[in-house]
Amino acid sequence: MAPLIGKEMTEKIFLDRYIALCKDKEFYTRKICASHFGKLCSAVGRKTLFRKLFPVFVDLCCDTVWGVRKACVDVMMPVSCCMTLQHRRLLLADLLATHLNDDSKWVRMSAFQILGPFISTFAKQFTEVTYNQHGELVFTSQQDTRFSIRYLYEGIFPTKCAIRSHTLDAEDNNSKDNFNLSVIIQKPIFEEDDDEDESQEDHISRMRAYKSKIQRKHLKNDKDDQNTLDDTENFNPFLYYYIAPDLPLDDELVEAAKKSAAQNNVNRKQPLIGVTASSKASLLDNMLKEDKYSTDKFDVINFNDQEIVPQHLIDSFLSMAEPEQCSDMGTDIPHHCAFSFPAVVLTLGKENWPYLKQAYQSLASANQWKVRRTLASSIHEIAIILGEELTVTDLVPIYDGFIKDLDEVRIGVLKHLATFLKILKPTDRRQYLPRLKEFLSTDTEWNWRFREELATQLLEVVNLFNPADVERHIVSLSLELLRDKVAAVRYVALSLVTQIVAHLSDNERHVTALFQELRFSLVYAKKWIRRQTFAFVCAKLISSNAISGDRFSQEMLPNLLKLSTDKVPNVRLVVARTLSKNVIPMGSEWLGVEQAEEVEKRLREMRSDPDRDVRMLAGGEENSVLDILSQTKTEQSNKNIIAVKIEKVQLSVVVATKGPMPF
């Protein structure tokens, strides 16, 4: 109800009761409250969010029950969309870091799943980050507010309501201190009016108290972990199974065994990030000190002079690419890393690509084909971000590996083949021409959608190469697709052949060779589907204005008229439709007087075709057809009647000649 009744009514009626429920003794009550935290954040004002709700959120993030903490992680993205960029950087980033090191496996899994989307909210190319009701992160461009990029993170974010960033709240528009993504404001985050300094200090003190609570909690957890390590040390395998010999012990071997056992226990307990949760809480507490919020020291900071994203988040994200680092959290963590990789690259920019390159190469060689498929489907996006030079040196070898991969991986590469080739130089682009035929071979012949996608991509690739390269490499592929068994593939191949004819129109030799191949492979084929396809090609060439009238009359029309007498009705049907719907409307000036008369003559002959549909498409009338049919039936019945009468006459003549039969 909160988003429906408005901000003022929500703060007046629901807020206090909701905060009380967030502190309820029953953990499932706190869990439900945490799962709806993002919705309430979008329904209140910025002051209320920063001074009342966010401290409660921090408290819930430090809850003793892992289910409550996991619910907080699940709503971290909707909450971050309601916060300013400064709060995401100074507060939420460190809260997320504590969850990445959480004791619960399920909390860590949820934290790593949202890590990539959370990093993408720091992208400086966008002025607004929102989370809509379809589960999409919407980034609005800084140059054009009408342009936006949408990333669908289906299955990650549970909230299904539209959440708008409070940086563009009407309350902020009236304030003198508007936020800008490229420049952090000159004044304190919580400063809006000079009369509210005392309340700001109270708020900061309250936040420090919460951070102290976090620090005490994690210090206690670290102490418990240390006690566990000490107990484990007392019962390590060496000492537990050791039987004292009569000979004196080797002190060096004993110390080495102790160190080895202790190191093994530490490795099992050590988090993915090389810092403890208590140090993160301490860092978060230091960020809330007065020097961070004093007006005399909080100067304008440009993102070009500092890291765009907190480094510990980047380190955690890169660790997701290593399977051994995430073995205790299932096999989906590398897949989430691969899915969010383009957004992270966009956020950091190509100047920081060297820090991400090794992780990307590790994901490209992952054992899971789903991870490789995700990378193959988005490698063109990363190529656009990195540019031509880095694409050739770093992405082309990976791209070549994906082409040789499973069909499930290759389809991801194939769907954006044209986009990737457009980024390369002409010399590098030409190297892929001989490899295009590799896409025709699939694991199963019935994977016709693979061939359909190949035809679609070749349609966009034709204009990237010169006519000689097209005639040498792409024409043969187009003819192969034009003879495919599946009609959907042939339909796309029709547009491909038409595009090739238009591209080769200036080269007489190449066009003549192409028409000769069409005649040889379609007109004289034994399969009627191929002969029918030739009629479709003629219709497509005329409707697309890809061929001149003179060339059509010389190269295509004689064979089209020849097919008008084909023995298969389906072939004659398409020929009749092409002649009546495409050829005749072009007129005698385009086609030629003699050729136009020949076409009209052939259509008149087809109006008496034995097949009714052919007669209709040739321009015949339905009534005349019915008359012809009725006339044919009448003539046949009359012939039968005459035959019967003749037999009776002959019989009577024979009887009269022989005379009456004797009794």
Side-chain angles (χ1 to χ4, degrees), residues 284-315:
L284 186 59
D285 185 62
N286 293 333
M287 289 180 177
L288 291 169
K289 291 184 179 180
E290 294 180 357
D291 57 352
K292 287 287 182 181
Y293 294 96
S294 58
T295 57
D296 55 342
K297 294 184 180 181
F298 201 90
D299 299 328
V300 177
I301 302 176
N302 193 294
F303 280 110
N304 295 329
D305 299 331
Q306 65 172 8
E307 296 180 1
I308 301 173
V309 182
Q311 186 60 38
H312 58 84
L313 295 182
I314 300 299
D315 295 339

Side-chain angles (χ1 to χ4, degrees), residues 206 455 659:
R206 193 182 307 112

